[in-house]
Amino acid sequence: MQGSISAIIPTFNRSSYLGEAVEALLNQTRPLSQIIIWDDGSTDDTPEVARRALSADRTGVLAYFRAKNQGKSAALNAAMKEVRGDYVWICDDDDVACPDAAEKLAHVLDTGTAGIAAGAHVRFSVAPGSAEKTFFGTGYWPDLSSGSVIRHLLEDIFFFQNAALVRRSCYETIGPFREDLSRSIDYEMFVRLGTRFPIEVIDDVVFFQRKHEGLRGPAAQQHAAARSEAVWFEADREIFADLRHRLPVAFYAALFKAGSQDLALRAGHLQRGCVYARRGDWGAAIEDFETAAGIAPATGLSATEIGIVLRAMAGKHGSAQAYRAPVRTQLLALARKGTTGRTIVSALGRGSVWRAREALANREFRQVARIAAFCARAGSRPRPAPQAAELSEEGCLTAEAYQW
């Protein structure tokens, strides 16, 4: 049975892009049943652009709402109350959906049990005064051939709202978007959704992501594109600090298949430590690494567990704190906690090698020296323990894993 699709376009002062975003949704190969344009108090000519689109719409699916500026989350929460479709598609006002995006994403939900269907994207830009698009790839995209989608998502966001179709019932279960966040509201929602419902990712490109220098965020908290990295870092830290008190380590353990509950729990702590290290929250990461080192301390890590620790040093926000006191001292002290602790430390050192190469390429010689000193004390290349080799990653989680 085919579900009906409602699209929401939250918009604020993007009238120059809005028309193209709306047109892309109107021209889908699988027609949408509803397209909601929610104007978050724009001060440009967004109302006129929306009215022109409404007058040109022969399908009757377009609806336009306007409210005072309160930010994207508030706009989405208000728009959600108007949704009538079985599936919800949230589309940014400056991006462009591929013509067959709705068809491909909805097919996943029509024929399977996933709560979220997601696809890939390609970035583009348009030079000032030109209508020609320049395409330049996807950016960060993990290797999904191993591990669950939610494990990859917890480590970093890689698909976006324009590329995701979600069952309305999932949103109703999870609750509203957080209105206290200025950035990363889509990431926070995807983490909430993905820890409660299965996600299925298809390889197809389903939208084109526009990169431009316009302002981001609600009117009261706008920032230039150049500051996005810092704002995202702060928002990610806040999201995961809150998540630590809500998402149990048992969920992380459920990401792994192990010969014993102890080994699954150890892998779960390592994975949670990896997630928080990638956020730059080394206090939380060290707490998990220390707990993991105390579980079967005489049993070395499996290849899967070593891989988790290697990824801890590969976050997009960097790992500079790891090479300075007191974090460096606390990490190296893990080597005193038996074979498991020593392997964790050596894996952290091995994961730092490419950070040294990165620093060298950027001519950050002082940082190169710090990383080299850390690696020297971390020891030799980590070797997987044969007795722990039965541990592996789950590709798909059990239904019970989502019932936390």
Side-chain angles (χ1 to χ4, degrees), residues 21 60 110 218 233 272 319 323 327:
D110 289 341
F233 175 68
R272 190 168 70 172
S319 54
Y323 312 117
V327 174

Side-chain angles (χ1 to χ4, degrees), residues 127-365:
S130 169
E132 185 175 347
K133 293 182 173 70
T134 300
F135 295 90
F136 49 99
T138 299
Y140 174 72
W141 191 266
D143 179 4
L144 298 175
S145 63
S146 64
S148 58
V149 174
I150 185 58
R151 188 270 283 175
H152 289 286
L153 185 64
L154 286 166
E155 290 183 355
D156 202 352
I157 191 168
F158 59 96
F159 63 83
F160 298 95
Q161 285 181 326
N162 285 64
L165 198 63
V166 182
R167 297 185 193 274
R168 178 159 57 102
S169 59
C170 294
Y171 278 122
E172 291 170 347
T173 299
I174 291 300
F177 287 86
R178 280 181 56 175
E179 298 186 14
D180 60 321
L181 295 174
S182 62
R183 293 296 290 172
S184 296
I185 64 168
D186 51 348
Y187 191 15
E188 192 274 340
M189 177 56 78
F190 282 141
V191 168
R192 267 196 283 158
L193 288 166
T195 54
R196 294 294 299 278
F197 303 101
I199 305 171
E200 184 172 336
V201 177
I202 60 176
D203 294 331
D204 307 69
V205 171
V206 295
F207 87 99
F208 302 113
Q209 184 184 61
R210 189 189 303 266
K211 308 303 289 185
H212 59 87
E213 298 302 315
L215 294 175
R216 269 79 169 164
Q221 298 174 296
Q222 285 202 318
H223 58 277
R227 280 205 64 239
S228 285
E229 177 71 23
V231 175
W232 273 321
F233 175 68
E234 293 162 8
D236 282 2
R237 284 284 297 267
E238 184 177 352
I239 289 167
F240 279 85
D242 177 68
L243 186 70
R244 190 171 182 85
H245 302 296
R246 295 188 294 108
L247 185 65
V249 72
F251 182 85
Y252 291 91
L255 302 176
F256 302 93
K257 184 187 301 180
S260 71
Q261 289 184 340
D262 278 352
L263 286 181
L265 183 61
R266 186 174 75 179
H269 277 288
L270 289 173
Q271 182 61 62
R272 190 168 70 172
C274 168
V275 166
Y276 282 85
R278 292 170 69 97
R279 309 264 104 61
D281 190 343
W282 285 100
I286 290 167
E287 181 181 314
D288 274 308
F289 291 156
E290 287 179 339
T291 302
I295 299 173
T299 303
L301 302 184
S302 65
T304 298
E305 290 170 298
I306 290 172
I308 296 169
V309 182
L310 291 172
R311 294 196 303 272
M313 311 307 280
K316 67 181 179 183
H317 300 302
S319 54
Q321 282 181 291
Y323 312 117
R324 296 186 175 95
V327 174
R328 176 190 60 207
T329 304
Q330 292 172 306
L331 289 174
L332 292 171
L334 292 168
R336 297 197 291 266
K337 294 183 176 290
T339 302
T340 295
R342 287 194 297 274
T343 311
I344 290 173
V345 173
S346 61
L348 289 169
R350 184 63 183 172
S352 298
V353 170
W354 81 273
R355 286 294 187 195
R357 292 171 181 157
E358 178 186 56
L360 185 61
N362 294 331
R363 302 180 67 81
E364 298 169 347
F365 300 120

